[in-house]
Amino acid sequence: QVHVNSVVFLGAATLFACFLLLLSSVLWALIGYLRVRPYYQFFICHHKQHAQAQARWLKIQLHAQTGRSVFIDSDDLTELDILFDIVKRNVRTLIAYASRELLMRPWCAGELTTALASRVGLVFVSS
């Protein structure tokens, strides 16, 4: 009788350990899947009329030298409503092309504010 109880206890403990291992593996995979990762290494914030050519050149150079993805709104933006969300969740470094008119555009001011509030890396470039 004692021998049977030991086997049952050992089997139940093994089954419970396997269940915990499976549950922790599923949770670990789910956390990895849901973790927000920057999709764009760089996001170039610029004033369209005064720095569009410079921003385009910067995008080409950054991609050529780093091989990383670079966001520029004229190429990559499909929905204006999600622009700030892209900056908040999918960008590692925001590069602001600091022309005199940069902060005159509400979208640029919003991109910079979102980057600062979200602790996205911020680099200013001027010419």
Side-chain angles (χ1 to χ4, degrees), residues 5 10 13 15 24 27 34 40 43-44 47 51-52 63 66 70-71 75 84 87 91 93 113 118 121 125:
N5 287 340
L10 188 59
L15 187 61
S24 63
L27 287 175
L34 295 176
Y40 298 102
F43 180 106
I44 301 175
H47 189 281
Q52 189 166 5
H63 183 68
T66 66
V70 182
F71 182 99
D75 292 347
F84 298 146
V87 172
V91 173
T93 304
T113 302
S118 305
V125 176

Side-chain angles (χ1 to χ4, degrees), residues 44 46-59 72-75 97 99:
I44 301 175
H46 65 288
H47 189 281
K48 282 204 184 300
Q49 284 108 4
H50 299 279
Q52 189 166 5
Q54 295 92 328
R56 166 80 50 208
W57 179 83
L58 185 58
K59 176 181 179 173
I72 191 169
D73 56 3
S74 55
D75 292 347
Y97 201 92
S99 62

